[in-house]
Amino acid sequence: MYTVLPSPVFQRISGLRFQPLVDLRSGQVVAHEVLVEIPNVNLEAFFATLPSRCALQIFFWQANTLLQMPGAGHYWLNLLAEHFLDARAIGLLLRLRHQQRLTIEIQDPFTLTRMNDAEQRRFHDALNQLKQAGWKIWLDDLTWDLAEEYVRLALPLDGVKIDRSALHAQEGPDALVQSVRAGIAKAVVIEGIETSQDLARACATGAQFGQGFLWPESRVNARVPV
C-alpha cells in the first residue's frame, strides 16, 4: 500500500463523509460515495492542486479504512484518470482485497479525452484488468460536451454518473440519460438531487440511481496515520 507522507494538510483530515446513492425505484440507499473531511478547507480547490501521488495515497487510505469498518457496506471512491496509466497503481489495485465492496469513480472525465491514442488504449487495457479482478468502475460527472467522445471510446464501464448541471439545465437530463444508456453504459446515477422536484425529474429519465443533498450525509471520525 502507498504510505501516506507526513503533511500538515493530511494531518488536518478529521473524518470521512458518506453521501448516499439511492435506488430511485425503491428509495433504498444502495451505497455511499466517500469523501474526506478537512475543517475550514475548500475541498474542491484542495484536490485541484493536490499532487497526484498524494491523491493516490488518500485513495488507498480510504479504501483500507473502509474495509476495516464493521458491516458490509458498499463504498464509491474517486480516482484520477492518470492513475490508470500508472503500472504501480494498477498493481496495487489488483492486489487490494476489495471484497466486492468498493467501486472506483473516474473523477476527471475530461482528462481521458485529452490523452493520445496510445494512452487511451493503455487506459482501456487497465480497465479490463481491474474488471477481471472484480472491480466496479464508473465514470463521474459526464456532461453533454463529453458524451460523444465517450461513445467513441467504448470503455468497459459499469455505469455513468450524470453531472448535476444536466439535472438543472433548462432542457433537463432525459436526452443525455438516453444517450448514455444507448452508447456508454446501461446503469446511470443522476447527481445534484436536492428537492422533491429534482427527484421527480430524475425519476422521469429512467435512470436507476440518484445522489444529492436531498438525502443527508453521515460521517465518521478517521485520521490519516503519520
Side-chain angles (χ1 to χ4, degrees):
M1 188 185 79
Y2 268 56
T3 300
V4 176
L5 300 175
S7 164
V9 175
F10 284 3
Q11 292 174 31
R12 292 172 63 187
I13 293 177
S14 62
L16 296 173
R17 294 164 45 211
F18 297 82
Q19 297 186 345
L21 287 94
V22 177
D23 185 313
L24 293 176
R25 297 182 181 90
S26 68
Q28 297 297 309
V29 174
V30 296
H32 289 86
E33 180 177 353
V34 182
L35 306 169
V36 297
E37 183 169 62
I38 307 177
N40 304 315
V41 169
N42 182 316
L43 290 179
E44 185 173 343
F46 168 71
F47 279 101
T49 59
L50 189 69
S52 62
R53 175 178 171 81
C54 294
L56 191 61
Q57 291 170 334
I58 289 177
F59 175 93
F60 280 105
W61 168 71
Q62 288 178 301
N64 283 280
T65 299
L66 294 164
L67 292 172
Q68 293 171 25
M69 291 175 59
H74 290 80
Y75 306 108
W76 296 34
L77 299 174
N78 291 290
L79 192 64
L80 292 169
E82 66 182 81
H83 291 140
F84 291 85
L85 304 183
D86 179 347
R88 184 185 178 200
I90 295 301
L92 290 168
L93 287 167
L94 292 174
R95 291 194 293 274
L96 182 64
R97 296 182 179 180
H98 53 78
Q99 305 169 25
Q100 304 287 329
R101 296 174 57 202
L102 302 180
T103 293
I104 295 172
E105 292 187 36
I106 305 168
Q107 72 182 74
D108 50 337
F110 184 64
T111 297
L112 179 56
T113 67
R114 293 183 294 177
M115 293 179 182
N116 60 40
D117 290 345
E119 289 172 330
Q120 289 179 351
R121 286 193 294 271
R122 285 171 56 199
F123 192 102
H124 193 285
D125 291 344
L127 258 61
N128 279 325
Q129 289 184 66
L130 293 170
K131 288 184 62 61
Q132 289 172 10
W135 281 97
K136 300 293 185 183
I137 302 173
W138 282 60
L139 184 71
D140 197 10
D141 293 337
L142 187 75
T143 61
W144 263 121
D145 293 342
L146 297 173
E148 184 176 346
E149 179 67 8
Y150 274 93
V151 170
R152 182 191 69 80
L153 288 169
L155 297 173
L157 296 167
D158 292 285
V160 172
K161 295 178 83 171
I162 300 295
D163 187 76
R164 62 183 294 116
S165 61
L167 181 62
H168 298 288
Q170 183 174 359
E171 62 273 20
D174 300 66
L176 180 54
V177 170
Q178 293 171 20
S179 177
V180 167
R181 297 185 70 185
I184 304 176
K186 296 299 183 184
V188 175
V189 171
I190 300 286
E191 296 187 292
I193 299 173
E194 300 180 359
T195 67
S196 57
Q197 290 79 13
D198 292 340
L199 178 59
R201 202 173 198 186
C203 290
T205 67
Q208 294 93 325
F209 308 107
Q211 183 178 358
F213 293 127
L214 179 65
W215 300 284
E217 294 183 348
S218 57
R219 68 175 303 282
V220 298
N221 293 327
R223 293 189 178 275
V224 179
V226 292

